[in-house]
Amino acid sequence: MADVSRTFTVASPLGEVVAYLRDFANTTAWDPGTEKCEQTTPGPVAVGTEWRNVSSFFGRTTELTYRMTRDDPDHVVFEGRNGAAVTSDDLSFEKVHDASTSITYRAHLEFTGLARFADPAARLAFEVLAGKTVKQMTGVLEAR
C-alpha cells in the first residue's frame, strides 16, 4: 500500500480550479503518469461518472476504471480499480485569496493479488510521481 499527500497553493481562483479538476479526463494534462483518460458514462460529470484511464506506472502500462465518489464544492474524490490495484485521488480545496487556491492532494494505491509483492518498490515510485504531479498540476492550473 502506498499513500502520499501534498498541500500546495496555485495562482488560480477556487471556482476555476475545482471546475477543471473535477473532470477526471483532464488528468492527461496534470498527471504525468496518465497517457489517456476518457469519460465512459454519458452526461455531465457527477457522483457515479466513470472514466477509462490508461496510465504508465512503475514501467508498466495499466488500465483502470475510475469513478467519482464525492463531488462537493471544496472536495472531490475519484476511485479507480482493475484486477491488480485499487487507487484513489482525493482533492480538497480552500480559497486563499480571490486569485489563489490551496489544494490538498492525497493519492492511495493498493495492489491486490500477486501484484501486492511489488508494494515496497511501488511506494518509492509513488512518492516520486507525487512530486511530479504537484509541479505539473500547478503549471497547468496557472496557465489557464
Side-chain angles (χ1 to χ4, degrees):
M1 177 170 59
D3 288 292
V4 296
S5 180
R6 302 286 190 273
T7 299
F8 55 102
T9 299
V10 297
S12 190
L14 176 67
E16 290 179 19
V17 169
V18 175
Y20 183 77
L21 292 177
R22 68 184 289 278
D23 184 349
F24 205 67
N26 290 325
T27 57
T28 56
W30 62 261
D31 180 358
T34 297
E35 296 176 359
K36 184 177 181 182
C37 190
E38 59 190 10
Q39 185 174 328
T40 57
T41 53
V45 172
V47 170
T49 299
E50 293 186 349
W51 293 262
R52 178 183 162 268
N53 180 283
V54 178
S55 294
S56 178
F57 179 71
F58 206 47
R60 296 186 48 176
T61 299
T62 187
E63 183 177 319
L64 293 103
T65 298
Y66 276 86
R67 173 186 293 250
M68 178 183 264
T69 59
R70 182 172 180 171
D71 186 20
D72 296 334
D74 63 348
H75 196 170
V76 295
V77 178
F78 305 94
E79 294 180 359
R81 28 181 94 247
N82 64 16
V86 176
T87 185
S88 68
D89 286 75
D90 181 315
L91 298 123
S92 55
F93 314 98
E94 185 176 334
K95 179 180 175 178
V96 177
H97 300 289
D98 286 343
S100 61
T101 304
S102 174
I103 301 170
T104 298
Y105 173 70
R106 293 175 207 84
H108 171 82
L109 172 65
E110 186 171 342
F111 290 108
T112 58
L114 292 175
R116 72 184 180 279
F117 294 112
D119 205 49
R123 269 185 243 152
L124 180 59
F126 209 50
E127 282 288 335
V128 171
L129 184 61
K132 291 178 181 178
T133 299
V134 167
K135 183 177 179 180
Q136 196 160 319
M137 185 186 293
T138 299
V140 166
L141 289 168
E142 292 182 349
R144 298 184 63 34

